[in-house]
Amino acid sequence: MQGPDVLGAVLLLGVQLRALWPAAAVEVHTSREVDAVNGTNLRLKCTFSSSRPISQHLSVTWNFQPEDLSSHEPVFYYLKEPYKLSAGRFKERVTWDGNIERNDVSIVIWNLQPTDNGTFTCQVKNPPDVDGTIGEVRLRVVRKVHFSEIHFLAVAIGSACVLMIIVVTVVIICRHHRKKVQAKRIEVADTEL
């Protein structure tokens, strides 16, 4: 065999072997950016997919990198059960809100503060799937919600509903008044006869 033929044979063999032993990898899915109001609670959603069934040794690690790019801080850890932090800015402020059977490893952060601005990472390891993507969510804590199209739509729909209720009420009152007037005319006409 010559050089190009050997290379082709090696590539073909590699493709066939890859099909027999699929790569072990976990894919993690999160929102890219989230805005939340200061003082509220927020569910940071994180889901995953794995080429293997869920392992007894599945682990979930949530970390936080502040906006000033100082060192990473632990937020939450899961291995067979949720583990709460014993120290740090997220102590007593993070709870597990996931469901491993549904590939959901979400958490809730309570009482958001401006110091929580930064990037949260969600990493899932499902042995033997230990490599893969790491989910990242950039959080922005704002003082109040900006007026958006959704708010405008909610106000428009709410106003339309109130207007419809007013119109229906006026129609009912007018019909009731008209019936009273007609009944009175009939009564007057009957007494005149």
Side-chain angles (χ1 to χ4, degrees), residues 96-110:
W96 172 251
D97 198 42
N99 184 335
I100 297 296
E101 287 78 32
R102 294 187 177 175
N103 295 8
D104 184 353
V105 293
S106 303
I107 58 173
V108 173
I109 300 177
W110 300 87

Side-chain angles (χ1 to χ4, degrees), residues 14-151:
V15 168
Q16 290 172 343
L17 287 175
R18 178 115 170 123
L20 293 175
W21 289 291
V26 176
E27 286 188 36
V28 177
H29 313 280
T30 57
S31 303
R32 292 177 189 242
E33 291 188 8
V34 176
D35 289 349
V37 178
N38 186 32
T40 62
N41 307 327
L42 174 69
R43 183 177 195 260
L44 286 180
K45 185 174 180 181
C46 182
T47 58
F48 71 94
S49 57
S50 176
S51 61
R52 305 285 183 171
I54 294 174
S55 163
Q56 288 282 351
H57 303 288
L58 180 132
S59 68
V60 180
T61 306
W62 279 90
N63 285 310
F64 172 70
Q65 170 115 41
E67 278 188 332
D68 63 7
L69 301 179
S70 57
S71 62
H72 282 83
E73 298 177 32
V75 174
F76 187 83
Y77 186 71
Y78 178 97
L79 177 62
K80 295 184 183 178
E81 66 182 49
Y83 289 91
K84 293 185 177 184
L85 294 176
S86 58
R89 82 169 74 199
F90 296 104
K91 178 184 176 186
E92 304 293 329
R93 291 183 51 220
V94 176
T95 53
W96 172 251
D97 198 42
N99 184 335
I100 297 296
E101 287 78 32
R102 294 187 177 175
N103 295 8
D104 184 353
V105 293
S106 303
I107 58 173
V108 173
I109 300 177
W110 300 87
N111 189 23
L112 289 171
Q113 303 163 11
T115 56
D116 297 333
N117 285 330
T119 302
F120 290 82
T121 58
C122 174
Q123 183 176 20
V124 179
K125 293 185 178 184
N126 184 34
D129 288 0
V130 293
D131 295 321
T133 58
I134 296 177
E136 288 190 358
V137 181
R138 187 174 183 285
L139 173 64
R140 250 187 37 197
V141 179
V142 295
R143 295 240 177 253
K144 60 182 177 177
V145 178
H146 299 291
F147 197 75
S148 67
E149 292 89 18
I150 293 174
H151 292 106

